[in-house]
Amino acid sequence: RDFRLVIPDLPGHRRSWAPLNELSIARLATGLRSVIVEHRLDKPILIGWSMGAMVAFDYIAQFGTERIGGLVIEDMTVKITNEPGWRFGIRNGFDTAQSAAAVTAMREDWAGYSQNAMPRLFARGRIPDAQLGSWVAAEIARNDGLAMAALWQSMAEQDYRPLLSQLALPVLVLHGGESQLYESAVGQWMAANIAGARRCCFDNAGHSPHLEVPAAYNRALTDFITSL
């Protein structure tokens, strides 16, 4: 109601087709740069949910923060695979072998993979209402499994830990207290390692606070943006 909202279809998603050899986090960040330039966006606030946050990280790594006014990170980490010395990836010790298996599953049976993955977007035991659940399932299923596998593989290769100390801009870290993908400790670690970052935990939400608790989510966004 009070802000201009620009929602691009990232390459490989929905109506934005792209060849598989051009589907990487870096290429998505370049596409984001084109959106900002072509729409003449003046100091936009980037809101990155899940992989979208990685696209924002890569945008900043490539182009800096001069053209953007702030960053919102929604239930995401800087490195999704766990390893010795790093435990803030996807829950339950998700590692490179499990990531490779996920890529294979996406390539071979996207319909089945997406159907099984959809409930993990929400807090455990909290099933969305039928209309929302059907819409989310349809939006996921309409994507191309090969494209999603290519993007996941690229995402699993990223490690933006060194970038956090360079985020010289306002940052808001949002996460679901009952996320099935990331423990709350991930959001806490992210906020603690970004100078001046603010953090908001939605206790009754999972990986998708914007869908699960939209009123609280919108209040948090509005408070952050109007404070800048």
Side-chain angles (χ1 to χ4, degrees):
R1 185 176 60 230
D2 300 315
F3 306 99
R4 180 187 182 192
L5 185 61
V6 179
I7 310 176
D9 284 350
L10 294 175
H13 291 76
R14 285 167 50 87
R15 302 175 186 86
S16 184
W17 181 87
L20 291 180
N21 63 351
E22 293 185 9
L23 290 177
S24 68
I25 298 300
R27 288 294 186 100
L28 266 58
T30 302
L32 175 61
R33 171 75 167 190
S34 297
V35 170
I36 291 173
V37 172
E38 291 172 10
H39 287 263
R40 299 180 181 179
L41 304 181
D42 182 27
K43 294 287 187 178
I45 310 298
L46 300 184
I47 303 173
W49 170 47
S50 199
M51 191 186 70
M54 282 218 162
V55 177
F57 294 148
D58 206 277
Y59 173 95
I60 293 170
Q62 290 191 57
F63 306 110
T65 59
E66 182 179 354
R67 293 189 73 113
I68 57 178
L71 172 64
V72 178
I73 302 166
E74 183 182 352
D75 209 57
M76 190 50 176
T77 187
V78 285
K79 176 176 168 57
I80 68 169
T81 54
N82 296 278
E83 62 185 21
W86 174 250
R87 61 181 182 86
F88 296 115
I90 292 176
R91 272 183 177 272
N92 301 321
F94 186 88
D95 58 17
T96 54
Q98 290 170 284
S99 180
V103 168
T104 298
M106 291 178 198
R107 288 173 176 161
E108 294 180 351
D109 181 16
W110 174 249
Y113 180 89
S114 63
Q115 183 177 6
N116 291 330
M118 193 278 278
R120 298 185 67 202
L121 298 180
F122 301 94
R124 189 182 308 278
R126 288 187 170 85
I127 306 300
D129 65 67
Q131 183 177 4
L132 175 60
S134 296
W135 177 77
V136 171
E139 288 294 292
I140 297 173
R142 71 190 296 180
N143 286 314
D144 177 72
L146 296 180
M148 296 300 100
L151 289 171
W152 183 281
Q153 186 169 4
S154 176
M155 182 171 65
E157 295 168 354
Q158 309 307 316
D159 182 353
Y160 296 104
R161 285 177 287 181
L163 181 70
L164 295 189
S165 63
Q166 305 171 33
L167 294 181
L169 78 169
V171 175
L172 174 63
V173 177
L174 304 176
H175 61 101
E178 298 185 23
S179 173
Q180 296 189 61
L181 269 69
Y182 300 103
E183 297 180 0
S184 290
V186 173
Q188 294 166 3
W189 184 91
M190 296 279 286
N193 284 273
I194 302 172
R198 309 177 202 181
R199 181 176 68 89
C200 178
C201 176
F202 302 100
D203 293 334
N204 297 321
H207 184 57
S208 313
H210 63 286
L211 298 175
E212 299 170 272
V213 288
Y217 180 88
N218 288 340
R219 281 196 302 272
L221 276 187
T222 299
D223 289 348
F224 174 66
I225 295 170
T226 56
S227 73
L228 303 183

